Amino acid sequence: MGIQETLITAAGGNGTAIRIIDRPLTRLEYEYEGKALGESMENIGAEQAGFLVLDDKHFEMAGGEFCGNASRAAAVLFSKAMDSQEVSFTVSGFSGVVNADVSKQSDNRYDVRCVFPAMPTDVQNVTLNNGQSAAVVDLGGIVHVVIEGDFPNDPDDYTAAHRSITEQLKLGERDAVGVVWFARTDDAILMYPVVWVKAIDTFFYETSCGSGTIAVGRVTGASSVVQPTGKIISVEFPEGAVVLESEMETIN
């Protein structure tokens, strides 16, 4: 199959630019080509990029990190290619096999449920330099620092906070680092994720975040988390697995 490119969003945001390729690339090629791919689609909502290697049933993020939203985006394309609602494949930043169920809702909308068997979700409680409590949730291919408190809306403020926290906790060598602020309302958990990917040096206040939802769900016990878009990503922790589910939409 020749090169094809598409953009798929999760819960109304966090677009993943995906290129379908015939053969695996080198890690440097993934980084170089992925950064260019993401930048070329940033104007239509891309916040990250990855590559679908159909013959290998593998999806690789440009930075080699794990991404929960991109995994479900990949599931949509594998489902189309295999003409099957149920698909299994591998993704970067996760050592197991992803099992996905893709339910088509309309021409470009899908409900996608992905199961990640034996995904690590270790939690370490920490105190930041400002005295604030936080939880570090290590998912392997990405680590999130989860903070209950007010999100610093100004880009300069959340950028400075992310960099300071990454330095304090010595996370600068990790593939990807998220700092996720969350707030509780009477009937919901709202989250505000800021993610940096080391290899390609991208930094986004993400409009939705699957791995961040796993982290917040692990810390709070919530089974659904409201994204910055206002839509929901559901998360479950059955014994020995993590499950993510949300609406996905193909943009082009």
Side-chain angles (χ1 to χ4, degrees), residues 24-39:
L25 305 179
T26 66
R27 174 91 305 270
L28 286 178
E29 286 174 327
Y30 279 126
E31 292 170 12
Y32 179 80
E33 296 292 336
K35 192 170 180 66
L37 175 61
E39 289 174 351

Side-chain angles (χ1 to χ4, degrees), residues 174-246:
R174 296 300 300 264
D175 289 338
V177 180
V179 177
V180 184
W181 287 264
F182 77 92
R184 304 175 194 262
T185 66
D186 290 340
D187 57 358
I189 300 285
L190 289 68
M191 75 174 216
Y192 309 89
V194 179
V195 177
W196 169 68
V197 178
K198 179 181 175 59
I200 54 176
D201 196 27
T202 57
F203 188 91
F204 280 99
Y205 167 38
E206 297 193 339
T207 47
S208 75
C209 184
S211 61
T213 297
I214 296 171
V216 171
R218 183 72 173 81
V219 170
T220 65
S223 60
S224 63
V225 180
V226 180
Q227 307 299 304
T229 59
K231 295 189 177 183
I232 288 173
I233 296 179
S234 299
V235 61
E236 302 171 26
F237 299 93
E239 186 173 355
V242 173
V243 180
L244 274 183
E245 182 174 4
S246 79

